[in-house]
Amino acid sequence: MTGHVIAVSAAVIAIAAVAAALIIYIRTSGILGRIDRMLDQAISGEFSETDFSEERMSRLETKTHRYLAKGRTAQKQIEAERAAIKTIVSDISHQTKTPIANMLLYTELLKENASLDDEGRELVSRIEEQTGKLSFLISSLVKTSRLESGIISLVPSENSVQELLEELYAVFRPQAESCGRNLELDLRDDGESELTAVFDRRWTMEALSNIVDNALKYTEKNGNVIISTVQYPMFARVDITDDGIGISEEESSRVFGRFYRSQQAVDKPGVGIGLYLAREIISREGGYIRLDSELGQGATFSVFLPAG
């Protein structure tokens, strides 16, 4: 009889344990299911702080909800700040464009004034030069701000590297000739297929233009700037090589910094933002830029674009 009671008691305990385990499993599954749904909503950007009751939620579920709610609030703040930056950048661009254009126009009119003596013409030329620098600086800052704040989105697609470089060469050949530099375009044709890569044509042109412009500025008269290509399985490489003043090893890691200017180039025109903007553009396309240089031995900027 005693054995029968013990057996019944054991069975009851086992059933209770199974029931308890089942209740815990069902409750845990429900909690995990709700947390899973909250995470899915957060990932898709549809998470909402509504329909929240701490009475029916576990501590873990409550903490998860509060964490995601804070993240959603932070996201809203970022979006509001981005909208404010967009407005400020647009205002700066609009408010400065007309005055600078007028200043350049006035300098042109002054240069045509026959009554100006040599000293006056020299002063007008300096005003024109400084106004041009100001225009370039503001334009570069606006482009950088738009890129960094997400106002401008790059849209990479498969494009011909050859066509891009031919356009680049056509743009800078007159500048090279006017300043006494030799600009060469060396496209290595393997005779099989055209070199292509995945990039945003407009913005990659901007990045390469900044590098070529620097190469021409920092190369002495009668110096050489060569644009060439190399094909890799995963990348298309564009080399921009010059035999100019070069860059020391200590400065190589800093030349891509915003507003950084080498001590060797203080007498050259520029504001120190071109290489920074070039690196930002190329990296956002999934590529990168490598620099090989020695002081006094010229420099090679290698731009790696994802292969098509």
Side-chain angles (χ1 to χ4, degrees):
M1 184 68 177
T2 302
H4 179 69
V5 172
I6 293 174
V8 172
S9 299
V12 171
I13 293 172
I15 293 171
V18 170
L22 184 61
I23 292 172
I24 293 173
Y25 173 77
I26 294 173
R27 183 183 179 193
T28 302
S29 297
I31 293 171
L32 293 176
R34 290 194 294 272
I35 292 176
D36 185 60
R37 285 192 295 274
M38 282 192 288
L39 292 174
D40 284 341
Q41 290 174 349
I43 292 172
S44 64
E46 299 175 353
F47 179 76
S48 173
E49 298 87 349
T50 59
D51 192 22
F52 174 73
S53 173
E54 292 192 13
E55 295 180 358
R56 67 176 181 82
M57 303 177 80
S58 68
R59 292 180 61 187
L60 175 61
E61 193 175 359
T62 301
K63 289 180 179 179
T64 302
H65 191 284
R66 288 177 175 171
Y67 174 77
L68 295 178
K70 287 183 179 180
R72 178 58 180 162
T73 300
Q75 180 63 33
K76 289 181 178 178
Q77 291 175 344
I78 291 173
E79 292 173 355
E81 290 173 0
R82 181 174 296 176
I85 291 173
K86 181 178 181 180
T87 301
I88 292 172
V89 169
S90 297
D91 286 345
I92 291 174
S93 178
H94 177 72
Q95 296 296 334
T96 58
K97 186 179 296 183
T98 301
I100 290 175
N102 287 338
M103 290 170 67
L104 291 172
L105 175 61
Y106 296 152
T107 55
E108 286 294 327
L109 294 175
L110 285 171
K111 286 167 65 176
E112 295 175 1
N113 190 337
S115 63
L116 278 180
D117 56 16
D118 291 341
E119 183 179 0
R121 293 184 184 282
E122 176 65 22
L123 291 174
V124 171
S125 295
R126 291 183 181 181
I127 293 173
E128 184 179 35
E129 179 184 353
Q130 296 303 315
T131 304
K133 288 182 179 180
L134 178 61
S135 176
F136 177 78
L137 172 60
I138 292 176
S139 175
S140 298
L141 288 174
V142 168
K143 289 175 185 176
T144 303
S145 297
R146 285 175 172 171
L147 194 65
E148 291 178 340
S149 62
I151 297 173
I152 294 176
S153 298
L154 275 66
V155 185
S157 60
E158 187 169 357
N159 289 288
S160 168
V161 176
Q162 178 177 339
E163 291 179 2
L164 176 71
L165 297 185
E166 287 175 346
E167 180 183 351
L168 182 71
Y169 177 72
V171 169
F172 281 94
R173 184 175 60 179
Q175 177 180 330
E177 291 176 350
S178 67
C179 64
R181 274 68 166 175
N182 302 313
L183 179 63
E184 299 179 23
L185 178 60
D186 180 16
L187 296 177
R188 302 176 186 178
D189 187 3
D190 58 12
E192 295 181 2
S193 60
E194 184 178 4
L195 181 60
T196 62
V198 177
F199 55 89
D200 184 302
R201 186 180 177 92
R202 174 189 171 189
W203 283 100
T204 304
M205 182 69 177
E206 175 79 26
L208 295 178
S209 294
N210 289 341
I211 299 174
V212 173
D213 185 59
N214 272 8
L216 291 173
K217 285 190 296 188
Y218 301 139
T219 298
E220 298 300 327
K221 192 171 183 178
N222 297 321
N224 300 295
V225 176
I226 302 173
I227 305 170
S228 59
T229 59
V230 180
Q231 176 70 70
Y232 291 105
M234 300 297 294
F235 289 94
R237 191 180 93 193
V238 177
D239 288 341
I240 299 171
T241 304
D242 65 69
D243 52 13
I245 62 176
I247 301 168
S248 67
E249 184 178 351
E250 293 76 15
E251 288 188 308
S252 293
S253 61
R254 293 181 282 173
V255 294
F256 293 100
R258 193 200 307 242
F259 299 120
Y260 179 78
R261 301 211 60 206
S262 170
Q263 292 299 315
Q264 306 295 324
V266 291
D267 60 335
K268 304 291 184 181
V271 294
I273 201 170
L275 291 180
Y276 170 80
L277 186 57
R279 187 183 64 174
E280 285 292 304
I281 292 169
I282 299 302
S283 64
R284 288 168 187 263
E285 294 178 325
Y288 63 97
I289 302 178
R290 188 183 70 196
L291 169 62
D292 293 315
S293 180
E294 291 183 19
L295 192 61
Q297 299 298 318
T300 296
F301 285 86
S302 297
V303 179
F304 291 80
L305 301 171

